[in-house]
């Protein structure tokens, strides 16, 4: 069977940063593999280790810089990688959910996987919607916020556990092919080994343009425009203790003792 | 007529609180659009749910008597059919785990834009949605360039509507295409039962990502011991397997309301805050002065937890 994993390189803002227009200034951003996707990669790699008929393919939508991230997926054991990029994508300041789903749909049609794994959300734009939209676009089944998955022996059913709010989990069976969006905590993502990293450097990444995918520019024209970005106004009225650690700890201890904390 | 259609969330026989907040967001948007406000409840005891949802500002409650629990295939079909029936301009749902399990499919199926996790809505010539990015470090506004849209709303951002309303309650029937139902809910499991119940504790010392390594947990354990407090954690600590799931505070863990909550190395992501904002006194120890935990804290120390926590422990020993 074939498992496709969607991987996103996300930008993380430093503790202190500046905004210029509708972007955080580049110097304050660090790029990394999206945390949720790391768990999706691990789930796919574990599946390929448990069985000998599994091929895993990572797909990312991103500029050349993001090859570093998709190579991380290769270093962790994903077999092949596809990167989708195009000038028309670059021109979008916010690629909307349906545009992402259309791009990924074209890759899924070319690859024909039995299972697509995707992180629940991306930590930069936090839409949390691409996986389910992709499933609908493909006519696949799906499950969102999955923290356990087991496939039936004949690969026709995925038994999943969905993490609901308040410590309740839902057990559901899903017909395959399916898209599952993976929650953190489902497994323990591995670190890439030095050998894995070296091998990943020499692997070819299959770069696909809109044209290659048989799509026109209209495929990425969305209906959402980012119009402003600002730092939220802090509503804090916290009393902040100042001083060296022994002073601040002393002041806090006095407050806590006043509230009866630590009194046996 | 531009109707707003909001879809309530319920689970195991009870409407979820966010459903009543959804009523506030929906009425607000319906007023801005100059249209009616319709609410749908799908599955479960729809009649009693409809009675509960008949609150101030609701024009119509549609009951869809189909199944007991949430099933995304049923929700997708029902919402699409209802959307056509009431000619909805806007569809709203909670940005809940179940909301995120069907809203993207409906928006995709209807070819309308979706904006998730809204914290504010404004409508003049078009819809403008306020939402956060980069792990709550920035707020953004997003303009929707379409006259129909689906928006999911974050819980805790609108007040719950309380007053009784005079909505008409209308059963909605549609022909469910069984062949398109490809998922079956088999049951539910409670997680996090274990040796301690953190929701019972008067004082919680809660540890987050800032602790960096499992070995470092010792220093917060020592603090919890010295304070005679219970140890809890935010999600990353539990995801790493350093503490069991029954210690997790947050949206997907336990909701706690102790007398004193000491957040050590916890930035205060919205999912975490949802689980602990009911604490009477909140103390935060974090190196980042802009960490959102300080927005809700009563007392704070902006410093390295590895320096402060042992000092604090010493004060109580």
């Amino acid at each position: 069977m074939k498992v496709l994993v969607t991987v996103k390189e996300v930008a993380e803002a430093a503790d202190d940063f500046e905004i210029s227009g509708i972007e955080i200034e580049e110097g304050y951003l660090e790029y990394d593999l999206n945390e949720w996707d790391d768990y999706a990669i691990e789930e796919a790699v574990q599946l390929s280790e448990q069985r000998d008929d599994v091929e895993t393919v990572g797909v990312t939508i991103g500029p050349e810089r993001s090859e570093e991230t998709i190579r991380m997926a290769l270093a962790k054991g994903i077999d092949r990688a596809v990167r989708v990029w195009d000038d028309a994508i670059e021109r979008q300041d916010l690629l909307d959910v349906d545009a992402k789903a259309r791009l990924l749909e074209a890759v899924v049609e070319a690859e024909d996987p039995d299972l697509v794994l995707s992180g629940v959300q991306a930590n930069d734009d936090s839409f949390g919607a691409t996986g389910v939209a992709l499933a609908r676009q493909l006519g696949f089944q799906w499950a969102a916020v999955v923290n356990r998955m087991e496939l039936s022996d004949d690969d026709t059913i995925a038994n999943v556990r969905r993490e609901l709010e308040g410590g309740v989990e839902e057990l559901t069976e899903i017909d395959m092919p399916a898209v599952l969006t993976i929650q953190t905590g489902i497994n323990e993502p591995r670190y890439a080994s030095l050998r894995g990293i070296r091998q990943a450097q020499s692997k070819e990444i299959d770069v696909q343009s809109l044209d290659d995918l048989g799509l026109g520019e209209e495929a990425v024209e969305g209906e959402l425009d980012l119009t402003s970005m600002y730092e939220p106004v802090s509503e804090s009225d916290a009393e902040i203790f100042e001083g060296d650690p022994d002073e601040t700890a002393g002041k806090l201890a006095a407050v806590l003792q006043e509230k009866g904390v630590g009194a046996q | 007529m531009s109707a707003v259609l909001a879809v309530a969330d319920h689970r195991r026989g009870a409407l979820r609180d966010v459903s009543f907040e959804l009523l506030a967001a929906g009425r607000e948007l319906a007023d801005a659009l100059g249209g009616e406000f319709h609410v749908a409840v799908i599955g479960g005891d729809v009649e009693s749910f409809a009675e509960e949802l008949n609150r101030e500002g609701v024009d119509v409650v549609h009951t869809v008597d189909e199944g007991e629990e949430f099933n995304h295939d049923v929700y997708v079909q029902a919402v699409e059919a209802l959307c056509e029936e009431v000619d909805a301009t806007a569809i709203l749902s909670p940005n809940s785990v179940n909301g995120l399990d069907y809203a993207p499919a409906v928006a995709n199926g209807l070819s309308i834009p979706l904006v998730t996790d809204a914290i504010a809505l404004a409508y003049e010539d078009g819809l403008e949605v306020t939402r956060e990015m980069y792990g709550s470090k920035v707020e953004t506004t997003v303009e929707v360039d379409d006259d129909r849209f689906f928006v999911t709303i974050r819980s805790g951002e609108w007040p719950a509507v309380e007053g009784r309303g005079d909505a008409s309650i209308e059963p909605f029937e549609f022909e469910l295409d069984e062949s398109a139902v490809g998922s079956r809910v088999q049951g539910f499991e409670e997680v996090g039962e274990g040796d301690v119940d953190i929701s019972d504790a008067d004082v919680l010392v809660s540890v987050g990502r800032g602790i960096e390594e499992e070995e470092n947990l010792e220093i917060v354990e020592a603090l919890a011991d010295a304070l005679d407090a219970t140890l809890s954690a935010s999600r990353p600590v539990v995801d790493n397997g350093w503490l069991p799931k029954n210690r997790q505070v947050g949206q997907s863990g336990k909701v706690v309301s102790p007398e004193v909550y000491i957040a050590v190395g916890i930035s205060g992501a919205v999912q975490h805050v949802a689980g602990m904002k009911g604490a009477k006194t909140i103390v935060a120890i974090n190196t980042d002065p802009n960490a959102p935990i300080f927005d809700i804290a009563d007392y704070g120390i902006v410093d390295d937890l590895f320096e402060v926590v042992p000092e604090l422990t010493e004060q109580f020993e």
Side-chain angles (χ1 to χ4, degrees), chain A:
Chain A
M1 74 179 298
K2 193 190 274 190
V3 182
L4 190 79
V5 186
T6 68
V7 175
K8 190 178 181 193
E9 179 191 71
V10 293
E12 282 176 29
D15 284 348
D16 290 304
F17 58 86
E18 283 178 33
I19 293 169
S20 158
I22 52 167
E23 286 175 343
I24 293 181
E25 284 185 22
E26 188 64 34
Y28 299 99
L29 294 175
E30 267 187 41
Y31 293 91
D32 204 354
L33 168 62
N34 180 39
E35 188 180 356
W36 285 263
D37 296 346
D38 199 9
Y39 289 84
I41 291 167
E42 180 63 32
E43 207 59 21
V45 173
Q46 284 189 12
L47 203 60
S48 73
E49 287 169 344
Q50 285 154 13
R51 303 162 40 152
D52 49 17
D53 65 336
V54 176
E55 186 190 17
T56 56
V57 182
V59 55
T60 194
I61 301 168
E64 202 173 341
R65 186 194 58 229
S66 64
E67 292 206 350
E68 208 177 309
T69 297
I70 194 82
R71 280 195 202 285
M72 191 53 73
L74 293 170
K76 288 177 179 227
I78 294 288
D79 297 318
R80 287 194 290 117
V82 177
R83 178 171 70 87
V84 177
W85 198 242
D86 199 284
D87 291 344
I89 305 175
E90 181 128 38
R91 284 194 292 272
Q92 298 291 325
D93 59 35
L94 185 64
L95 200 58
D96 76 12
V97 174
D98 277 350
K100 283 182 216 164
R102 281 189 291 269
L103 292 172
L104 294 171
E105 177 197 19
V107 175
V108 170
E109 279 178 351
E111 293 285 346
D112 194 24
D114 304 280
L115 183 65
V116 179
L117 301 180
S118 174
V120 166
Q121 63 173 31
N123 197 32
D124 50 2
D125 64 19
S126 307
F127 263 77
T130 305
V132 172
L134 172 65
R136 181 74 191 272
Q137 184 83 15
L138 290 166
F140 279 22
Q141 259 298 325
W142 70 86
V145 195
V146 169
N147 68 358
R148 188 180 71 195
M149 61 167 239
E150 275 166 24
L151 308 183
S152 65
D153 291 340
D154 58 359
D155 294 338
T156 57
I157 303 268
N159 283 291
V160 304
R161 195 169 65 189
R162 296 178 58 230
E163 184 189 78
L164 306 180
E165 296 87 351
V168 176
E169 302 191 330
E170 179 200 280
L171 309 169
T172 299
E173 59 171 48
I174 311 281
D175 294 342
M176 287 173 66
V179 180
L180 306 181
T181 77
I182 302 298
Q183 174 65 305
T184 61
I186 188 174
N187 52 40
E188 231 177 284
R190 70 194 64 196
Y191 289 101
S193 65
L194 281 174
R195 185 161 162 267
I197 292 170
R198 257 200 317 274
Q199 282 175 345
Q201 289 308 325
S202 58
K203 282 194 183 172
E204 198 171 319
I205 291 169
D206 178 12
V207 182
Q208 300 270 323
S209 67
L210 289 179
D211 203 31
D212 296 332
L213 294 172
L215 296 170
E217 289 197 9
E218 71 286 349
V220 293
E221 281 163 13
E223 290 151 313
L224 303 184
D225 294 310
L226 196 58
T227 49
S228 73
M229 180 181 288
Y230 49 91
E231 287 191 61
V233 182
S234 171
E235 291 157 8
S236 175
D237 53 3
E239 183 178 337
I240 304 290
F241 300 116
E242 309 274 351
D244 293 336
D246 58 331
E247 290 171 62
T248 55
K251 291 174 191 168
L252 176 56
V255 169
L256 292 174
Q257 273 153 356
E258 209 172 287
K259 293 184 184 295
V261 176
Q264 296 287 327

Side-chain angles (χ1 to χ4, degrees), chain B residues 83-196:
Chain B
C83 184
E84 193 178 329
E85 168 89 5
V86 306
D87 193 18
T89 295
I91 313 175
L92 298 182
S93 84
N95 193 66
S96 56
V97 172
N98 284 345
L100 288 176
D101 197 49
Y102 76 93
V106 170
N108 186 274
L110 296 174
S111 297
I112 61 174
L114 169 72
V115 187
T116 58
D117 208 15
I119 58 173
L121 301 174
Y123 190 94
E124 277 182 43
D125 299 329
L127 181 71
E128 188 184 83
V129 182
T130 306
R131 59 195 306 284
E132 294 180 340
M133 277 177 69
Y134 299 108
S136 302
K137 282 187 169 163
V138 299
E139 279 183 15
T140 62
T141 52
V142 174
E143 249 173 43
V144 180
D145 184 20
D146 198 320
D147 44 19
R148 293 171 75 210
F149 38 81
F150 199 137
V151 180
T152 70
I153 67 150
R154 178 180 290 182
S155 69
E157 298 293 328
W158 278 267
V161 173
E162 299 289 347
R164 271 203 65 78
D166 53 4
S168 59
I169 293 173
E170 299 176 6
F172 177 73
E173 281 175 23
F174 74 106
E175 204 159 318
L176 181 72
D177 176 5
E178 295 277 0
S179 69
V181 177
S183 64
R184 292 156 297 275
V185 176
Q186 307 288 320
F188 295 91
E189 257 177 29
E190 300 276 352
V191 293
E193 298 312 317
D195 51 337
V196 272

Side-chain angles (χ1 to χ4, degrees), chain A residues 191, chain B residues 208-218 240 242 306:
Chain A
Y191 289 101
Chain B
R209 204 190 282 268
I211 199 69
E212 294 170 3
E213 304 281 342
E214 187 172 10
E215 303 85 84
N216 299 337
L217 275 181
E218 277 176 18
N240 281 330
W242 301 344
F306 297 104

